[in-house]
Amino acid sequence: MASAATANTSSPTATQAEELPTSIRRLLHTMPELAQRFKASQAQQRPQQSILTASPMNFSFTTTQGSGSPAVQTLVIQHAGEGTVQWHATTDAGWLSLSPPSGSYTGTVILSMTNHALGAGLYVGTVTVSASNAQTISIPVSLTVTAAPTPPAF
């Protein structure tokens, strides 16, 4: 009875076992030591997840109509973890430019306003940083355009 309990606790997980041919599943079930080695080898084969961080986690631009672009701002992207990571930065804001839009490991992205014909108002968007095998980061961005001052009447 005790050996049956040991065999069950050393068996591969249900998902791992379902992927194996029947003959190998039976063998692993009857040989607890082999099943334990199988589980260890499966754990080593799992790809390690890269960890991306971004700083700062939000951006705010302010400008006045007709006065030109506000100062550029810098997004810092850092990679922690093992292996190579290729990240990509995109935005859904038509008035925002990202340079460079991609890189490896740690890098910086310059955010700048590109549309000088915007009317007064609040504009919002998102910068998204993504990489394969890493969690996507969403960073809110806002642009406040104030109305140009009215010239005095003569």
Side-chain angles (χ1 to χ4, degrees):
M1 196 75 148
S3 63
T6 304
N8 288 339
T9 60
S10 297
S11 299
T13 66
T15 303
Q16 292 168 333
E18 289 170 3
E19 296 170 359
L20 298 173
T22 304
S23 59
I24 294 179
R25 286 196 312 254
R26 287 181 190 145
L27 181 63
L28 288 174
H29 185 70
T30 61
M31 301 180 73
E33 185 178 315
L34 184 59
Q36 196 169 26
R37 286 186 183 179
F38 172 80
K39 284 169 54 174
S41 72
Q42 291 299 305
Q44 291 173 354
Q45 291 177 10
R46 288 187 200 116
Q48 295 186 347
Q49 181 159 350
S50 295
I51 300 169
L52 288 178
T53 59
S55 174
M57 285 304 293
N58 62 61
F59 289 91
S60 179
F61 292 89
T62 304
T63 191
T64 302
Q65 277 182 303
S67 68
S69 296
V72 300
Q73 296 185 39
T74 303
L75 170 64
V76 177
I77 300 170
Q78 295 184 331
H79 168 251
E82 309 240 348
T84 303
V85 65
Q86 298 286 327
W87 52 262
H88 303 276
T90 59
T91 183
D92 61 357
W95 47 266
L96 187 63
S97 174
L98 307 176
S99 179
S102 61
S104 299
Y105 299 101
T106 298
T108 58
V109 178
I110 303 299
L111 284 72
S112 57
M113 181 183 156
T114 59
N115 187 338
H116 304 286
L118 293 172
L122 174 65
Y123 300 86
V124 295
T126 303
V127 171
T128 303
V129 180
S130 60
S132 61
N133 203 29
Q135 184 173 1
T136 299
I137 302 170
S138 296
I139 304 160
V141 182
S142 66
L143 167 64
T144 302
V145 179
T146 56
T150 307
F154 290 102

